[in-house]
Amino acid sequence: MDITEENVHGKWKEFILTNDHGMSVSILNFGGIITNMIVPDKYGKCENIVLGYNNYADYENNTNYLGAQIGRVASRIKDGSFHLNGSHYELAKNEGTHHLHGGPNGFHQIIWESGTHQSEHEVNLVLTHTSKHLENGYPGNLDISVTYTLNNSNELTLNYQAASDHDTPVALTNHTYFNLSGDMTDTVHNHRVQFDSRYFAELDEELIPTGKLIETTDTPFDFRNGRLLGDGLKSETTQQIIAGNGYDHYVMFGSEKAVTVSENNSGRTMKIHTNAPGVVLYTANGLDEGLKLNEGLSQKYAGVCFEAQPHPAALHHEGFPNVILQTEEKYHSYIKYSFE
Ligand code: G6D
């Protein structure tokens, strides 16, 4: 087990967490961004399986949120506003009249305080930050920590903890684009995804949840028996077309909060465990084309995101799990990526 730290791109630091079985993860203190994730394939060939920019400078204006920590609230908040405890709050509007992924100065755009810890069986990077009262319009001073832990079982766990001195919405997640093939010229059409997908949130033309939760049965969102992402990418349903011919939807778990993703050519299987009630499944339908990535140029469908989170549609609609963190309540969520 090893953890190294390097100064990169001026004031940034890049931490490389390495275990004894060929897995390593590179993380910036800027945006908590995962820039590389090296995992062995079925032949033991170690390759990068996440989308990352070739030039650090491209992370400064990361409108695709590659690899980034997202917060204070991931996903879209309609009209960038909400009511809470009798008060009306206006957030920064960074996508038309709406608020996306914490706003223009969201957690993907800040330099986090960092610390490391190493033991015989795991290495940890701890990133901390205080988001000030009314920063981007959110109420309360929010103390956040994100701990990245890599162990010798080829597991990377992100542990989120937060507390605020005022009731506030919080929905933290990670926005890494995965491509298990290790070949970034390939798309994710042939990634097989399986999870207990019970309902998905219907979107309007602006990708804002309408408040309607739709049963997944007999839709391209039914992953309970496993299906290729390509099924949804070529589907002609209204919801697929609205999302730019793919998935960009919040899908709520049934009983098991886990996702299994596999890719045949490499033989890689990734299992995601979380305590979040659902995930935004995003198949990079809107990923800018031609961006210089570590292993080539970006293209539509080059990666898939599983943004485990509660959803801020709860601020405007019934039926969605709570996103309000009460004063002095402890926020705790985790996302564990395991590779066989
Ligand atoms: C697009 O709609 C999608 C979002 O879900 C995604 O997070 C973003 O691109 C990177 O706006």
Side-chain angles (χ1 to χ4, degrees):
M1 301 299 303
D2 189 30
I3 185 164
T4 62
E5 174 181 331
E6 189 187 341
N7 292 319
V8 298
H9 195 57
K11 292 186 295 183
W12 297 357
K13 291 178 186 173
E14 187 164 45
F15 299 85
I16 303 177
L17 287 62
T18 305
N19 72 8
D20 304 330
H21 300 287
M23 184 171 172
S24 70
V25 186
S26 303
I27 304 147
L28 294 174
N29 64 346
F30 178 76
I33 292 169
I34 295 174
T35 58
N36 249 295
M37 191 182 294
I38 308 290
V39 173
D41 70 1
K42 60 187 171 188
Y43 304 109
K45 186 180 178 189
C46 296
E47 295 170 303
N48 175 41
I49 60 163
V50 302
L51 302 192
Y53 293 117
N54 187 251
N55 302 310
Y56 289 114
D58 291 338
Y59 285 113
E60 288 174 4
N61 183 28
N62 188 6
T63 54
N64 296 285
Y65 302 85
L66 260 58
Q69 288 310 333
I70 305 293
R72 195 178 291 200
V73 174
S75 292
R76 289 174 172 85
I77 297 178
K78 182 177 173 56
D79 301 330
S81 66
F82 61 90
H83 281 84
L84 179 59
N85 302 335
S87 297
H88 177 79
Y89 292 94
E90 287 287 338
L91 303 174
K93 295 164 178 59
N94 60 327
E95 190 182 65
T97 60
H98 306 303
H99 176 90
L100 172 66
H101 288 341
N105 308 309
F107 296 174
H108 63 291
Q109 293 275 299
I110 58 167
I111 293 183
W112 294 67
E113 296 297 315
S114 56
T116 61
H117 173 75
Q118 179 168 355
S119 72
E120 186 187 354
H121 301 295
E122 64 182 36
V123 285
N124 296 284
L125 168 66
V126 184
L127 297 183
T128 55
H129 174 66
T130 295
S131 172
K132 296 291 186 200
H133 177 55
L134 296 183
E135 185 178 276
N136 278 315
Y138 288 103
N141 294 292
L142 180 77
D143 295 322
I144 313 112
S145 73
V146 187
T147 302
Y148 303 67
T149 301
L150 178 66
N151 65 23
N152 261 332
S153 303
N154 281 8
E155 295 171 335
L156 172 70
T157 304
L158 275 56
N159 256 300
Y160 297 90
Q161 298 189 326
S164 173
D165 58 8
H166 190 293
D167 294 3
T168 176
V170 182
L172 304 171
T173 196
N174 182 270
H175 204 292
T176 295
Y177 294 68
F178 291 94
N179 183 326
L180 300 186
S181 72
D183 172 5
M184 294 308 163
T185 63
D186 197 0
T187 65
V188 293
H189 282 76
N190 292 322
H191 280 47
R192 188 179 185 280
V193 174
Q194 186 280 327
F195 67 102
D196 185 0
S197 55
R198 300 299 291 279
Y199 301 99
F200 72 95
E202 179 189 63
L203 297 177
D204 67 15
E205 297 288 340
E206 294 183 291
L207 302 176
I208 300 287
T210 62
K212 184 177 176 188
L213 289 169
I214 300 175
E215 284 264 2
T216 60
T217 309
D218 299 330
T219 76
F221 294 85
D222 190 350
F223 290 94
R224 286 172 289 194
N225 297 320
R227 74 183 320 144
L228 295 179
L229 286 176
D231 295 352
L233 304 189
K234 60 177 185 276
S235 162
E236 293 296 306
T237 67
T238 306
Q239 285 295 303
Q240 260 62 45
I241 292 169
I242 281 177
N245 297 101
Y247 297 97
D248 193 357
H249 296 77
Y250 188 60
V251 188
M252 289 172 65
F253 293 120
S255 51
E256 191 191 24
K257 295 180 172 62
V259 181
T260 301
V261 196
S262 55
E263 193 279 326
N264 266 345
N265 293 336
S266 66
R268 290 190 181 92
T269 295
M270 171 172 70
K271 190 140 189 177
I272 302 172
H273 287 90
T274 180
N275 63 343
V279 292
V280 169
L281 174 62
Y282 177 52
T283 43
N285 323 318
L287 178 62
D288 296 323
E289 308 240 344
L291 298 174
K292 201 162 170 25
L293 304 180
N294 287 324
E295 289 86 8
L297 298 179
S298 63
Q299 61 179 320
K300 190 171 184 179
Y301 308 129
V304 54
C305 303
F306 301 94
E307 302 157 50
Q309 62 170 104
H311 198 287
L315 295 172
H316 296 121
H317 301 289
E318 298 294 319
F320 289 83
N322 174 52
V323 291
I324 300 299
L325 178 67
Q326 306 287 335
T327 307
E328 302 314 332
E329 179 189 353
K330 292 282 178 264
Y331 178 97
H332 176 239
S333 64
Y334 70 88
I335 308 171
K336 179 166 79 170
Y337 307 100
S338 310
F339 299 89
E340 291 175 358

